[in-house]
Amino acid sequence: MNKSIPNAIERVLLDEETITARVRELAAQISADYAGLDDLVLVGVLKGAFIFMADLARRLTVAHHVDFIALSSYNRDAVSTGAVRLIMDTRTSVTGRNVLVVEDILDTGHTLDYLVRTFRARNPASLRTCVLISKPERRQVKVPIDYLGFEIPNEWVVGYGLDYADRFRTLPYIGVLKREVYE
Ligand code: IMP
Ligand code: MG
């Protein structure tokens, strides 16, 4: 199937090869860090992290479980309200287990901050975060990132799981959305 660059995309920011190489590095680092540990649970944040999660998990050389959580996200306007709502919880308990939260993108930080506070309250053996993309300029809340893929400027990006109004998620690269699409 030919996935040509849609009209709404300003430019490709991170191409497939660049993403693949970085995901491989992150997976190697995580595999090394968790080598001696039991019971690693990856918790992917739906929907945005589903592709990153699948690629990352398949490159891990340590045993792990996969689970997901779903939160409310932005609506059509690309503006954060800071309000986060849990839509779907994990299937299994995280208590006493080594939890790694896998998130697509860190913008204001409210979403990950909410997740970290929520999981910490459940007493996991350990809790770390793995984020593919960070937009540091936009941060409102300080959140710890243990594994980070890329830092990018303050632009709306789509593809590789990331959307705008639920569109563009399955583009194989990460591209910058034209401003006129979301302004
Ligand atoms: P935060 O709570 O402001 O850090 O926002 C995190 C969430 O906002 C992410 O999980 C995404 O769902 C969404 N988001 C923020 N920036 C972008 C973007 O550039 N493209 C797509 N989604 C984004
Ligand atoms: Mg997300």
Side-chain angles (χ1 to χ4, degrees), residues 84-178:
V84 180
R85 196 162 51 94
L86 186 66
I87 292 170
M88 186 197 85
D89 209 337
T90 57
R91 290 280 186 99
T92 51
S93 167
V94 299
T95 304
R97 306 172 80 188
N98 293 296
V99 176
L100 180 61
V101 175
V102 179
E103 174 65 307
D104 54 356
I105 189 164
L106 198 56
D107 190 36
T108 63
H110 287 293
T111 306
L112 197 62
D113 178 61
Y114 170 88
L115 282 174
V116 166
R117 283 188 287 106
T118 300
F119 282 115
R120 216 170 269 302
R122 297 174 180 182
N123 299 311
S126 69
L127 179 64
R128 285 184 184 171
T129 60
C130 177
V131 178
L132 182 65
I133 291 168
S134 169
K135 294 197 265 193
E137 285 169 51
R138 296 261 309 159
R139 203 78 79 251
Q140 290 173 9
V141 196
K142 207 167 167 264
V143 215
I145 312 179
D146 297 290
Y147 305 97
L148 174 64
F150 304 95
E151 280 196 348
I152 67 163
N154 178 23
E155 290 176 297
W156 197 264
V157 288
V158 294
Y160 199 71
L162 293 154
D163 73 308
Y164 173 70
D166 225 20
R167 293 161 64 209
F168 313 111
R169 280 194 204 280
T170 58
L171 295 175
Y173 53 83
I174 290 172
V176 176
L177 197 64
K178 284 184 182 163

